[in-house]
Amino acid sequence: MWAKQLLSCFVLAVLPSNTLACLQSSQHRVTVRDIQSQKYVRRTPPVSAKTAIQNVRVFDGQTFTNPRSVVFTNGHITTCTKDIETVIDGTGQFLIPGLIDAHVHLPDITGLASITSYGVTTVLNMACHDYAACAALRNHNQMDLASFLSAGIAAVGNSSGNGALQPPPDQLVYPDTDLSQLVAWAFGNGSDYYKIVAKPSSLTQVQQDHIVSAAHNANQQTMTHASDLASFKQAVASRSDGIQHIVDDGLLSISTISAIKKNKQFVTPTMSIFKYGYSHPEVLAFLGRTNSTNSTYAHVEENVRRLHKAGVPILAGTDAVGPIAPGIDLPFGITLHEELQLLNGVGLTPLEALRASTIESARWHRLFDRGEIKAGKRADLVLLNSNPLLNISNTRDIARVWVGGVEAQDIAKLS
Ligand SMILES: *[C@@H]1O[C@H](CO)[C@@H](O)[C@H](O)[C@H]1NC(C)=O
Ligand SMILES: *[C@@H]1O[C@H](CO)[C@@H](O)[C@H](O)[C@H]1NC(C)=O
Ligand SMILES: *[C@@H]1O[C@H](CO)[C@@H](O)[C@H](O)[C@H]1NC(C)=O
Ligand SMILES: *[C@@H]1O[C@H](CO)[C@@H](O)[C@H](O)[C@H]1NC(C)=O
Ligand SMILES: *[C@@H]1O[C@H](CO)[C@@H](O)[C@H](O)[C@H]1NC(C)=O
């Protein structure tokens, strides 16, 4: 037993935090950080002792294993089973990695707390016009709040308009704007990736290509908003890493789809916002969608179906914005579960949908520290009462959630 434990600690020698955890006493206590933020009062977070979830079936990226233990400490999963302080019985339950919503517009701590309660442990915010406000949402390690990653000020052409997400006038892209400098500023201000808005009469192809090259030269990724045929083709041609949204005004051609594959791009179709928009036309108008008589939700579905059939990586994101105007509310959290069902409805199997919100999303966004239940990865975990591979809507059947090893205090009861 002793030898076995030593071995497992030794095997992890390449993972310093785990090794350290085994060598030191694991008397690790959370300190409450005083978050000065909007209306949100923290309760005392739970103690982050070395924890074992026992006898639980674990999602290994393909299937659920036979019942086993998952141990975590100091925010990360470990194979070192020495000095376990807290034991949780997972009999009959299913452990999946924390979910990733790869497209949100999340403005405050309240939104972050809300989305965490739905098992979403990482959010990718897709524009930030106030770098200080976004910085305040980052890095709440040792708190039960999802990790917040964000784009900075988005590149939007001066003639296009972008509805509620319009940057201030002095931050628009004019024909003579120094695009390399814009990209450098975004990353200088802590952006995790660069957001480009492709729409009719926004940026030219040359401008988009320039921005993508500048970001790639800095070893960074770009995400391009594109929801009409012409803009989508521009986004593909620019080789932007992640194409955000999907086309609703026509069908993607075979050549466009082949180009996406050849360029190794991924698509985050955000079916949720289209579903919501097509049920509430005032929402489409509010979000500054272009008006086209040819636009239908059927195009949304068929395009995602075609991309998936062709083997284009499809990732789960919602475009959730929360309540941003009277009568306009695409809520955080629940929408990610809805997105998985929408993706399932256009041909992704429950396994593919689950991967689209965990391991695939992590890999394509270069978040190599998460998305899998494996030694050394972040202890972002969701314990479910039922098997999501039998029915993807079972991701709603949440028992408990941990984010960076800290158990979430509030769990949304959805089933
Ligand atoms: C965008 O900028 C160009 C160059 O400054 C200008 O000619 C054009 O009128 C602007 N468009 C709008 C809608 O302001
Ligand atoms: C942050 O962005 C602003 C413009 O939005 C820019 O003036 C400033 O230089 C940037 N900071 C860094 C460190 O790049
Ligand atoms: C409208 O959509 C159909 C596919 O349903 C497509 O064949 C046609 O080219 C589109 N028209 C325009 C103007 O985009
Ligand atoms: C959008 O198009 C429809 C016709 O398809 C039209 O009735 C409506 O007025 C248009 N809305 C805007 C904001 O242009
Ligand atoms: C999945 O579960 C939902 C909710 O219980 C149900 O409506 C749906 O029919 C189920 N789907 C399948 C494929 O069993």
Side-chain angles (χ1 to χ4, degrees), residues 199-222:
K199 14 171 64 177
S201 56
S202 182
L203 306 167
T204 63
Q205 184 73 58
V206 169
Q207 286 176 313
Q208 292 184 48
D209 295 355
H210 186 132
I211 291 170
V212 173
S213 303
H216 287 178
N217 287 341
N219 196 26
Q220 300 284 1
Q221 292 185 302
T222 58

Side-chain angles (χ1 to χ4, degrees), residues 4-19:
K4 201 172 152 199
Q5 280 170 352
L6 275 183
L7 187 65
S8 65
C9 295
F10 177 72
V11 167
L12 286 171
V14 287
L15 302 162
S17 66
N18 285 289
T19 312

Side-chain angles (χ1 to χ4, degrees), residues 103 198 224-229 232 243-250 252 267-285 287-290 294-304 307 317-320 330 335 338-339 342-343:
H103 192 127
T224 302
H225 163 116
S227 57
D228 63 274
L229 269 177
F232 206 87
I243 305 176
Q244 304 296 312
H245 312 301
I246 190 72
V247 166
D248 65 356
D249 65 342
L252 291 171
V267 177
T268 306
T270 66
M271 293 182 75
S272 297
I273 190 74
F274 290 98
K275 182 86 177 164
Y276 181 52
Y278 278 101
S279 330
H280 306 81
E282 70 278 12
V283 174
L284 282 188
L287 294 174
R289 290 275 299 110
T290 49
N294 207 23
S295 298
T296 64
Y297 188 68
H299 284 144
V300 168
E301 293 185 302
E302 179 57 19
N303 283 326
V304 181
L307 290 174
T318 59
D319 209 4
L330 191 64
T335 41
E338 288 166 358
E339 182 75 17
L342 293 172
L343 293 172

